Amino acid sequence: MNRTSWILSSILLLFAGIDFAFGDDLTGADRLLCTSVRAMECFPDGVCLADEPESWNVPRFIRVDLKEQIMSTTAASGEERSTPIETIERDRNRVFIQGAEQGRAFSSVLNEITGLASTGIALDGHVVSVFSYCTPIDGSD
């Protein structure tokens, strides 16, 4: 085995046991706290701009209540924003969430194993994509 192959094999073995997910296992959870970590806005001409979620008025922390079918900001945000969830479906360790409000449609896929949430928000003439990590929360917060 040459030196390069040996180094690459060693690196792969080193990272083989590391879980790269930043969220928590959401299996069966009905109440979640998600933190938006990155967002991108794209336009019909193909131009896309990546930035922090706040650049597109996306809250950093979002409570997702699957039982009550609502998403809302946390008290620490200083805002009192909430959005109803119209449909929720669980299938193969994923939760699919959809809704529409105030001229926007949104669709999210939450991976119950890794806690990663991918959300698309469609507006008139552009879309915003948001990546978040989620953790289950109990009813006492």
Side-chain angles (χ1 to χ4, degrees), residues 24-32 34 64-67 69 71 85 87-98 106-120 134:
D24 286 332
D25 188 327
L26 309 175
T27 305
D30 287 322
R31 298 187 74 234
L32 313 170
C34 299
V64 180
D65 191 324
L66 299 174
K67 212 172 215 180
Q69 290 193 240
M71 296 187 311
I85 299 170
T87 62
I88 299 170
E89 183 179 327
R90 280 189 149 113
D91 181 44
R92 297 182 186 161
N93 296 316
R94 292 172 299 198
V95 180
F96 301 94
I97 300 172
Q98 295 179 317
F106 65 91
S107 185
S108 298
V109 179
L110 285 74
N111 184 307
E112 288 187 302
I113 303 301
T114 66
L116 175 65
S118 305
T119 300
C134 303

Side-chain angles (χ1 to χ4, degrees), residues 33 59-63 72-81:
L33 178 64
R60 184 59 74 164
F61 294 100
I62 300 169
R63 276 197 189 112
S72 59
T73 55
T74 61
S77 73
E79 301 180 82
E80 290 187 27
R81 294 167 54 183

Side-chain angles (χ1 to χ4, degrees), residues 4 11 13 19-20 23 26 28-29 34 45 49 53 56 64-65 83 86-90 128 132:
T4 303
I11 291 171
L13 285 174
D19 182 2
F20 287 99
L26 309 175
C34 299
D45 61 4
L49 308 167
W56 289 283
V64 180
D65 191 324
T83 300
E86 293 177 16
T87 62
I88 299 170
E89 183 179 327
R90 280 189 149 113
V128 175
S132 306

